[in-house]
Amino acid sequence: MNKNFFADISLEALIGYIDGIADIDTQKRVKQWLESDPDRAVFLEKLKTAWNDYDKVKDLTSANIDKDWEYILNHIGSGHRVIEDDEQTGWGRNWLYAAAAVLFIVTLSGGYFWGRKNTTVSGKREVVFNQIIVPMGEKSQLILSDGTKVWVNAGSKLKFPDRFEDNAREVWLEGEAFFDVAKDKNRPFFVRTSDINIKVHGTKFNVKAYSEEGIIETTLVEGLVSLERKTKRSKEDNEVFLEPNHKAIYVKNEATLVTEEVKREVEEPLKPEKIIISKPVEVEVATSWKDGKLIFEDETLESVARKLERRYDVVISIEDDSMKMIKYSGVLKNISAEQAMKAIQVTSQFRFEVKGNKINIFKN
């Protein structure tokens, strides 16, 4: 019977454990994971062998790579066990070697990079699409093939090609990232999100577009960007231009709860499915995360908690709803989750307790 080996542990954690780069907490989680099922030790040993013996499969043909890639996507991506009996698969014992050939998981300042082995089509190398996945509690930095620098925040995914085509440069974002785009007059740069397309004209800007949040925010530091709805409903859905030290705010639908912090930044009412340009804003508030800081300006405890969850990979529960609207202003940098809670506690007057990766906040 198949087992879901990734139900209680991530593939990234296992690779980190194998490479000896996992932190103490991850090491403990992997050891607990191993102790709960004897089959997991066998799985980890095969994964270790494949990870360390990548050269054994470097001569696989592109046809085999394509076939094995689809198999790995269907099994690892769905959380299924990918170790099968040889009698059932015909190549079960060797699947990990194929995985090592086509799936790369490389530490990038706290993130993990997924990509395909390059192949050729009619003598011309095809464009390979890669994805960097940054787990909660981490952030990552990378440089794209055109020289564009990107910082990717916790809980985010960035999809991008290994090289850009002649006509345009495109990346796809789910989550938050800061872009320092290399200038190229002949090839515009686009950031694609779930609802908004951002066209860049050589600039620095921050995009916050988490799928679980109902608001997409684009904050411009310098240069020029323009924004359009991904799906236009009428001729009135024109391109909207954003100037430095302003923010473009897009509310996805009527069910979205717009916070008081966001409402303060605009002069006109926020309407669902419409791009609204803010008043001048302090851009550092939106971009400080890439420098390891969190800046809060009269922000509710509920909003602060969501940002701390991503920063520290914790789950924060506020027991009393009336406390969610408590306001906090301050700067947090290079401290632990518990130290952050103590700093906020000084001005907000509440009790909290830490149990593993869970933090419960109580009313005094």
Side-chain angles (χ1 to χ4, degrees):
M1 183 174 66
N2 287 351
K3 292 184 178 181
N4 183 354
F5 279 155
F6 298 108
D8 304 313
I9 200 75
S10 68
L11 184 58
E12 295 94 332
L14 296 181
I15 294 298
Y17 183 82
I18 290 170
D19 277 345
I21 60 174
D23 58 28
I24 295 176
D25 288 340
T26 300
Q27 292 177 36
K28 289 180 180 179
R29 285 194 290 113
V30 172
K31 290 177 181 178
Q32 292 172 350
W33 178 82
L34 287 169
E35 292 170 356
S36 65
D37 186 339
D39 286 346
R40 291 177 173 178
V42 178
F43 175 89
L44 185 64
E45 190 60 32
K46 290 188 177 183
L47 181 59
K48 181 178 180 180
T49 300
W51 189 250
N52 292 332
D53 291 347
Y54 168 79
D55 288 341
K56 289 185 178 181
V57 289
K58 65 182 179 181
D59 295 325
L60 279 173
T61 67
S62 61
N64 285 337
I65 288 171
D66 288 339
K67 176 183 176 182
D68 296 342
W69 172 254
E70 294 302 326
Y71 183 86
I72 291 162
L73 281 182
N74 291 335
H75 288 71
I76 290 182
S78 62
H80 293 163
R81 183 184 182 187
V82 278
I83 294 180
E84 307 276 358
D85 295 331
D86 288 354
E87 294 79 14
Q88 293 176 318
T89 67
W91 62 286
R93 187 169 50 196
N94 297 319
W95 80 266
L96 280 170
Y97 292 110
V102 297
L103 184 61
F104 304 91
I105 307 174
V106 184
T107 303
L108 288 174
S109 304
Y112 294 92
F113 175 78
W114 300 68
R116 284 190 61 179
K117 187 179 180 69
N118 290 337
T119 60
T120 58
V121 178
S122 302
K124 182 181 179 181
R125 186 171 69 85
E126 67 176 317
V127 175
V128 177
F129 284 90
N130 305 309
Q131 183 170 236
I132 181 168
I133 303 172
V134 183
M136 293 293 194
E138 304 287 350
K139 62 180 184 294
S140 184
Q141 182 180 354
L142 69 154
I143 300 177
L144 303 181
S145 62
D146 65 334
T148 292
K149 298 176 183 178
V150 188
W151 289 256
V152 188
N153 204 358
S156 302
K157 299 177 183 179
L158 181 73
K159 179 184 174 183
F160 57 95
D162 67 332
R163 61 185 176 87
F164 291 112
E165 292 293 319
D166 296 335
N167 56 342
R169 298 172 290 170
E170 293 180 293
V171 300
W172 290 261
L173 174 68
E174 179 182 322
E176 185 169 20
F178 181 90
F179 296 86
D180 184 352
V181 178
K183 292 183 179 180
D184 187 335
K185 293 182 179 179
N186 298 320
R187 293 185 301 172
F189 191 99
F190 291 91
V191 178
R192 311 290 190 187
T193 70
S194 60
D195 295 73
I196 293 295
N197 291 325
I198 303 164
K199 184 178 180 180
V200 185
H201 306 269
T203 186
K204 297 179 181 179
F205 64 103
N206 192 82
V207 181
K208 185 180 178 185
Y210 286 101
S211 59
E212 67 272 18
E213 295 184 356
I215 296 177
I216 297 176
E217 300 179 32
T218 304
T219 306
L220 185 59
V221 177
E222 63 180 56
L224 180 68
V225 301
S226 57
L227 304 93
E228 285 186 315
R229 283 172 37 85
K230 181 168 286 188
T231 304
K232 291 187 176 183
R233 292 188 174 181
S234 67
K235 294 182 179 179
E236 284 70 38
D237 282 334
N238 296 323
E239 189 176 18
V240 177
F241 286 85
L242 184 62
E243 296 180 350
N245 301 314
H246 288 75
K247 180 184 293 187
I249 301 169
Y250 178 82
V251 179
K252 295 181 182 179
N253 53 60
E254 294 181 356
T256 299
L257 178 62
V258 181
T259 65
E260 290 299 321
E261 295 83 41
V262 173
K263 290 179 180 179
R264 286 201 305 267
E265 294 175 338
V266 297
E267 293 179 337
E268 61 180 293
L270 288 167
K271 297 180 180 179
E273 302 182 347
K274 183 179 180 181
I275 301 170
I276 301 295
I277 303 301
S278 75
K279 299 180 290 187
V281 298
E282 292 291 337
V283 296
E284 190 181 9
V285 176
T287 64
S288 61
W289 63 266
K290 74 181 181 64
D291 300 314
K293 295 189 296 184
L294 288 178
I295 300 177
F296 304 102
E297 285 190 348
D298 200 27
E299 199 160 338
T300 65
L301 184 59
E302 183 177 31
S303 177
V304 170
R306 299 295 81 81
K307 293 180 180 180
L308 294 181
E309 286 181 328
R310 291 195 184 103
R311 170 69 176 271
Y312 296 107
D313 189 17
V314 297
V315 177
I316 300 177
S317 297
I318 303 174
E319 299 301 319
D320 192 312
D321 287 343
S322 65
M323 300 178 59
K324 294 179 179 180
M325 300 309 294
I326 294 175
K327 298 295 182 67
Y328 174 74
S329 297
V331 180
L332 303 177
K333 183 178 180 179
N334 297 327
I335 57 177
S336 67
E338 186 168 357
Q339 289 172 327
M341 293 305 303
K342 288 180 179 178
I344 298 170
Q345 185 185 37
V346 171
T347 59
S348 301
Q349 299 299 312
F350 57 75
R351 295 181 298 109
F352 73 92
E353 63 178 17
V354 179
K355 293 183 178 179
N357 73 328
K358 295 183 179 180
I359 299 175
N360 294 315
I361 298 176
F362 305 96
K363 193 173 184 178
N364 272 339

